[in-house]
Amino acid sequence: MTAGAAARGGISWRPGPRLGVALLLAPALVYYFLVLFVPQFEVATASLMSADGHFPTGANFRRFVTDSFFLSILWRTVRISLISTLLAIMVSYPVAVYLSQPWRRWRAAVAFAVITPIMISAVARSYGWVIILGPAGLLNQTIIGLHLGTDPQHLLYTETGLVIALTHLHLPFMVLPVTASLQQIDPSILRASRILGAGAMRTFFRVTLPLTLPGITAGATIVFCLTGSSFVTPALIGGARIPMMSFLIYQQGLDVRDWNFASAVAIILLLSTSTFVIAHLIWSSRRQRQTMGQP
C-alpha cells in the first residue's frame, strides 16, 4: 500500500523512531564529514607523500622520529600539556567547590569571572600575558615593589611563562565540568559519611573526589587537547625559543613550504593527544568502577 493510498484510507504514514533519529542526525553528520573527516583524510594523504611525489611512503615520519630536535619538541609539547592540566585541576577544584554551593554570597561574581575569559579572544589574552610577563611588566613591577627581588624575572619566552599563560587560558574548561560533577552529588551522601564517623578530609578523598572523577576526566581531556594544539599563545609567549608542535607545523608549512612534512607532524600530534586521551579514559573508567565496587 502506498503512502497516498494509506492516507486516503485513513492511515497516515509516519517514519519509525530509527528513521526519525537518522533524519535529525543527518545534517550534523554531513557537516562533520565535510569539515572534519575530509580535511583529516587530506592531511593523512599528504603525510604519506614524499617531496618528489612518491606515495605511499613513510619518509616524513622517519625524518621526524630520527631527529632529536623534533622529538624534543614533541616531548616539550606533552610535558607542558601535562603540567598545565595538573595545574588547572589544582586551581579549578577549589573554585568549583565554591561555585557548587548555592548559598555562597559572591557565587555569581566568581562564576562571571570564570566565564568571562572565554568571551575574550585568545590573541588578546595572550598579548595581555606578554605585557604581564615582560621584563617591565606588571609581575616584575609587583615583585620589585614588594621587595621580593631586585632583578627582573625573565618569564617571557620560557616554559614557566608559557605554562602560566596556557593554564589561565584553558582554566574555564576545567572549572565547568568539575562544578557540574559536584552539583550532582547528593548532599545526603556526604552527611551519611560524616554521621558514620568520617572526618572532612576522609569524606573528601573517599566520597567527594571519586564522585567528581568524571568531571575531572572530562576537564583534563579538554585542557590537555587544547593545550597541546594551541598555536597563538605558544607563538606569542614561547616564540621560536620554546617551540611546540603547533609552531613546528606552522613553520614547516608556511615558512619552509614543506606541506608533506607539516602534515606528518600534524598526524603525530593527533596520535599523541589521542593516545593520552584513550589511556586517561581507560584509567579513569577502571578507577571509577573500583570506587563503586564493580568488577
Side-chain angles (χ1 to χ4, degrees):
M1 180 181 293
T2 63
R8 288 192 298 270
I11 302 176
S12 60
W13 177 83
R14 296 180 179 179
R18 294 184 178 179
L19 180 59
V21 172
L23 292 175
L24 290 174
L25 292 177
L29 293 177
V30 172
Y31 175 79
Y32 277 109
F33 177 78
L34 294 177
V35 303
L36 183 62
F37 292 105
V38 172
Q40 288 290 347
F41 177 77
E42 293 181 355
V43 171
T45 303
S47 67
L48 297 174
M49 184 177 296
S50 63
D52 53 1
H54 286 87
F55 180 86
T57 178
N60 296 313
F61 295 96
R62 286 195 299 269
R63 177 187 170 188
F64 185 93
V65 299
T66 55
D67 194 314
S68 59
F69 175 72
F70 295 141
L71 291 177
S72 66
I73 295 178
L74 176 61
W75 168 238
R76 178 185 296 115
T77 302
V78 174
R79 182 175 66 250
I80 290 177
S81 300
L82 287 173
I83 295 174
S84 300
T85 302
L86 293 176
L87 287 178
I89 294 174
M90 295 172 60
V91 174
S92 65
Y93 207 98
V95 179
V97 171
Y98 187 91
L99 293 177
S100 64
Q101 300 171 349
W103 61 85
R104 295 294 184 179
R105 183 177 180 181
W106 300 102
R107 179 172 173 267
V110 175
F112 180 77
V114 170
I115 298 175
T116 299
I118 304 178
M119 307 176 187
I120 304 174
S121 171
V123 178
R125 282 183 287 175
S126 299
Y127 272 115
W129 277 109
V130 170
I131 297 174
I132 294 174
L133 299 174
L138 178 62
L139 182 60
N140 280 314
Q141 291 181 0
T142 303
I143 293 175
I144 295 175
L146 295 176
H147 302 287
L148 300 176
T150 57
D151 298 328
Q153 301 295 319
H154 299 282
L155 294 176
L156 197 60
Y157 307 120
T158 62
E159 286 194 15
T160 302
L162 186 55
V163 167
I164 294 173
L166 288 172
T167 303
H168 168 262
L169 188 69
H170 303 129
L171 190 63
F173 299 100
M174 179 66 72
V175 174
L176 297 179
V178 177
T179 303
S181 296
L182 287 168
Q183 289 176 340
Q184 293 177 359
I185 298 178
D186 190 352
S188 61
I189 298 178
L190 304 180
R191 289 195 297 268
S193 176
R194 300 297 296 271
I195 292 173
L196 292 175
M201 295 298 296
R202 189 173 184 181
T203 299
F204 173 77
F205 285 106
R206 298 294 298 272
V207 180
T208 305
L209 186 60
L211 291 178
T212 55
L213 191 59
I216 297 175
T217 301
T221 302
I222 296 173
V223 171
F224 182 87
C225 293
L226 291 177
T227 303
S229 60
S230 295
F231 170 72
V232 175
T233 303
L236 294 177
I237 306 298
R241 294 184 180 180
I242 312 294
M244 293 180 64
M245 291 288 284
S246 56
F247 186 83
L248 179 62
I249 296 171
Y250 167 82
Q251 184 184 52
Q252 294 295 321
L254 297 181
D255 294 342
V256 185
R257 299 290 181 178
D258 192 349
W259 293 102
N260 296 328
F261 183 69
S263 300
V265 176
I267 294 298
I268 292 173
L269 176 60
L270 177 63
L271 294 177
S272 302
T273 54
S274 300
T275 301
F276 170 81
V277 171
I278 294 173
H280 187 65
L281 290 176
I282 293 175
W283 173 83
S284 61
S285 178
R286 291 180 178 177
R287 179 67 178 176
Q288 187 176 5
R289 288 198 300 266
Q290 292 175 359
T291 303
M292 298 301 178
Q294 298 177 357

